[in-house]
Amino acid sequence: MREFYGVALDTPLMLGTAQYPSPAVLAESFQRSGASVATVSLRREQGAGQDFWQLIRDLGVHVLPNTAGCHTVKEAVTTAHMAREVFGTKWIKLEVIGEEDTLQPDVFGLVEAARVLAEDGFEVFPYTTEDLVVAGKLLDAGCEVLMPWGAPIGSGLGLNNLFGLRAMRAHFPDVPLVIDAGLGLPSQAAQAMELGYDAILLNTAVAKAGDPAMMAEGFARALEAGRLAFDAGPMEPRDMAAPSTPVIGKAFLE
């Protein structure tokens, strides 16, 4: 599996920690999913206190703090610095939200904030769109990972722009790519892995399921299937039928 800032993850699943019905359900979901990374909002930590932080420690996974809910460069940078102090990690999932209805990233502010944080020693995981120009600027700013959205956060719509996501994978073959946001079903996660993406970040699809732990396990199995399919080299689609049974040697009746 591809490394993220020099860290090789055991599994390609990154799982959020918000909106679960109870701490016990959160812990069981992580256990059954085998997730390697827990994303944590600084605002969530402040609201839940030391009990929540101890729960995250007990999960035994890498912690990826995020700047969820930030709308300006200053706010995102300030939150990142606070998160580094609280969680003791250089990793930061960088969000700079630019539009309220879709929670689409402000890509201009995102690039600026990424440059500031990278220069300050952070290892930035930017939540971005599938725009190739923006992706290139984020890499130039010091990012070594890209996290394009599949669809708006919490929408469950899946992969809205297959062409754009496929183009990003082809354009940046050596960059770790993570689908972040918008997935609602394990089949959508498998599709992302079939495109050659390296990991998936989820929250709402698991936390808001009728049985979050069961859904978490379903996503884990789908990711494994999708990765196997990509590594196996899938057949190319075609417009016309092709017989699966050989016709050479078959008798023809007149």
Side-chain angles (χ1 to χ4, degrees), residues 19-254:
Q19 305 184 76
Y20 290 84
S22 72
V25 171
L26 187 158
E28 184 185 3
S29 298
F30 269 83
Q31 190 275 323
R32 289 182 63 174
S33 72
S36 294
V37 174
T39 61
V40 182
S41 168
L42 183 63
R43 291 170 172 82
R44 175 75 175 91
E45 157 64 11
Q46 288 174 322
Q50 288 302 313
D51 290 343
F52 176 75
W53 184 213
Q54 186 59 52
L55 172 62
I56 300 303
R57 286 194 183 100
D58 291 344
L59 294 175
V61 299
H62 298 280
V63 176
L64 177 61
N66 67 47
T67 64
C70 292
H71 290 75
T72 67
V73 172
K74 181 178 180 180
E75 186 182 13
V77 169
T78 300
T79 302
H81 279 90
M82 294 171 63
R84 182 164 62 180
E85 294 299 319
V86 171
F87 300 109
T89 178
K90 295 186 291 185
W91 280 14
I92 191 73
K93 178 192 167 187
L94 179 61
E95 295 184 24
V96 182
I97 301 301
E99 205 281 322
E100 285 295 338
D101 290 333
T102 63
L103 300 180
Q104 180 169 330
D106 171 1
V107 294
F108 305 101
L110 181 68
V111 172
E112 182 180 348
R115 180 175 291 106
V116 171
L117 292 173
E119 290 176 352
D120 197 31
F122 283 88
E123 295 173 342
V124 182
F125 293 67
Y127 166 60
T128 184
T129 67
E130 66 277 19
D131 187 291
L132 297 181
V133 177
V134 174
K137 291 186 181 298
L138 287 168
L139 296 175
D140 291 341
C143 298
E144 297 181 14
V145 176
L146 297 171
M147 301 181 75
W149 63 348
I153 295 171
S155 68
L157 293 173
L159 305 181
N160 275 356
N161 185 356
L162 285 174
F163 172 81
L165 294 172
R166 189 178 290 112
M168 180 174 279
R169 177 72 285 174
H171 200 76
F172 301 106
D174 300 322
V175 176
L177 299 181
V178 182
I179 292 292
D180 177 13
L183 300 186
L185 292 169
S187 58
Q188 297 163 351
Q191 185 180 31
M193 299 302 286
E194 290 167 3
L195 292 177
Y197 277 71
D198 300 293
I200 301 297
L201 195 156
L202 301 165
N203 193 163
T204 308
V206 170
K208 290 298 187 180
D211 186 328
M214 183 181 295
M215 183 64 78
E217 183 177 342
F219 270 102
R221 296 186 183 188
L223 291 176
E224 182 179 1
R227 188 70 211 186
L228 284 171
F230 176 77
D231 290 341
M235 63 174 286
E236 292 292 330
R238 52 182 292 154
D239 293 329
M240 301 295 290
S244 57
T245 302
V247 295
I248 298 177
K250 182 179 179 180
F252 289 90
L253 302 178
E254 295 184 358

